[in-house]
Amino acid sequence: MLANDVANQSLTDAIALFQRVRDGGLDSTRTAAATIVESLRQGGKLLVFGNGGSAADAQHTATELVGRFLRERAGLAAIALTADSCLVSSVANDYGYEQVFSRQVEALGKPGDVALGITTSGTSRNVVAGLEAARARGLRTIALTGRDGGPAGRLADVHVNVPSEVTPRVQEVHMALLHVICELVETAVIAEREPAAVERKR
């Protein structure tokens, strides 16, 4: 296939998947955002985690909340469990990579917090273990998945699914949905805490 054909097909497939997700309804995305807002309102925090590209999405999401997404407001409590390479490598070495997120959830999570696990397959064992640890400690759980959602989707209180077998396409929609969640959270927080906040252009 020629390079131009590859590029066109990639964008065509991405557009089709975005439309499929939009047309399928965004109730779970709105519920995920509302779950995070409720936790923040009660003094909780978001713990977010995933592997590879999903690790980057986790860090991106935490950054948007601790910093800002579109508007000036107070920082929001969010921690990416992928960001500390010393901690991740230590737990992986001492206990196994399957426990790199669950160990942190056990250490940092408390009832009322939210755990958001990102997995394009829905089957990542360390993400599933992190969600299991979160449920055991009384955290609310959100899974952002691809394919049919797998065990991560079935385990979570809130399941946001992108129904595709193609990992890059799933990741593209994941990032858009995480941006939607960040904007919904930010808008709700500003409405409650800082109704006169003015949007600041980036």
Side-chain angles (χ1 to χ4, degrees), residues 28-38 142 158 180-182 184-185 188:
S28 61
T29 302
R30 296 186 186 96
T31 300
T35 299
I36 295 168
V37 170
E38 183 63 23
I142 302 169
V158 182
V180 170
I181 289 170
C182 287
L184 288 170
V185 170

Side-chain angles (χ1 to χ4, degrees), residues 31-161:
T31 300
T35 299
I36 295 168
V37 170
E38 183 63 23
S39 175
L40 294 172
R41 183 184 295 128
Q42 297 176 0
K45 60 185 174 293
L46 174 67
L47 304 178
V48 56
F49 47 92
N51 298 291
S54 298
D57 287 346
Q59 291 175 218
H60 185 135
T61 301
T63 297
E64 299 286 21
L65 295 176
V66 173
R68 69 165 186 268
F69 186 68
L70 285 173
R71 291 181 277 182
E72 291 295 342
R73 37 81 179 166
L76 303 177
I79 303 171
L81 304 187
T82 57
D84 188 334
S85 60
C86 294
L87 193 160
V88 169
S89 60
S90 172
V91 173
N93 183 65
D94 293 345
Y95 300 101
Y97 195 69
E98 188 171 324
Q99 296 188 49
V100 295
F101 302 136
S102 60
R103 186 72 171 181
Q104 293 184 75
V105 169
E106 291 167 1
L108 302 172
K110 68 180 191 306
D113 289 344
V114 175
L116 168 54
I118 308 171
T119 164
T120 59
S121 67
T123 63
S124 301
R125 287 185 293 178
N126 56 2
V127 173
V128 172
L131 293 172
E132 289 174 337
R135 286 178 67 91
R137 292 187 63 82
L139 282 72
R140 293 279 289 170
T141 55
I142 302 169
L144 179 58
T145 70
R147 300 184 187 177
D148 67 354
R154 293 189 291 272
L155 177 67
D157 298 314
V158 182
H159 181 203
V160 182
N161 179 245

